[in-house]
Amino acid sequence: MQDYTTSFGISLVAGMRSMTACAALTWAASVGRTRNGFIPSSPEIRTLATAAALAEMVGDKILFAPDRRIPPSVAARLAIGAVGGWALVRRRASPEHGALAGVAGAVAGTLIGRAARGPGGHAPYGLARGLAEDAVAAGVAFILAASADQGRSARRRSL
């Protein structure tokens, strides 16, 4: 079961902050920690994904930000979760099961993240909770990307 922890974790992040998961995947891919080079990892892509993650964190705090549970947002989170779960599954585990763990993690992250924000997501305490969610998502994403085991023997560099 622990072979799928990283898959579930990166997808939990995708449910909270979808672009943070994308950015973490590009950084992990840049040091060979994703499956088969599937995730793009050029410096330009990493910069774009990181900027998009920061923009998402800022945009989440504005008064007219859409709910993360609307169908297009949920679909994007599930897709990012599945790809992230597939890309970060451990070498001896099934990538298909990693994708399923990714979908489960994305659902959990979406629902838990929304519930943690409370009913008044844009009230002052909602802002504090949103900032806390940003910190948790970024921290978990960094830890997971740094600890993924794909390709470690080929490239021993750290994030």
Side-chain angles (χ1 to χ4, degrees), residues 10 19-35 38-54 87-88 138 140-148 150 155 157-159:
I10 196 66
M19 295 312 300
T20 299
C22 290
L25 288 168
T26 63
W27 283 96
S30 74
V31 293
R33 293 186 178 184
T34 59
R35 182 174 290 281
F38 179 72
I39 305 293
S41 63
S42 70
E44 297 82 14
I45 294 293
R46 289 194 314 269
T47 301
L48 180 63
T50 302
L54 293 171
L88 288 185
V140 170
F142 176 80
I143 290 166
L144 291 170
S147 67
Q150 295 296 321
R155 297 169 83 180
R157 292 188 292 171
S158 65
L159 294 173

Side-chain angles (χ1 to χ4, degrees), residues 13-151:
V13 170
M16 294 188 300
R17 294 286 180 264
S18 56
M19 295 312 300
T20 299
C22 290
L25 288 168
T26 63
W27 283 96
S30 74
V31 293
R33 293 186 178 184
T34 59
R35 182 174 290 281
N36 299 332
F38 179 72
I39 305 293
S41 63
S42 70
E44 297 82 14
I45 294 293
R46 289 194 314 269
T47 301
L48 180 63
T50 302
L54 293 171
E56 179 185 33
M57 289 178 184
V58 170
D60 178 66
K61 312 304 179 289
I62 58 177
L63 293 177
F64 54 88
D67 191 301
R68 73 183 76 204
R69 298 170 297 174
I70 62 173
S73 179
V74 171
R77 292 168 194 276
L78 293 176
I80 293 166
V83 170
W86 182 86
L88 288 185
V89 72
R90 299 199 183 269
R91 283 178 280 190
R92 60 188 177 274
S94 163
E96 293 81 12
H97 290 134
L100 289 174
V103 169
V107 169
T110 299
L111 298 176
I112 291 168
R114 178 61 185 103
R117 291 291 288 273
H122 297 293
Y125 65 87
L127 175 62
R129 289 178 180 176
L131 293 171
E133 184 180 11
D134 293 342
V136 168
V140 170
F142 176 80
I143 290 166
L144 291 170
S147 67
D149 77 347
Q150 295 296 321

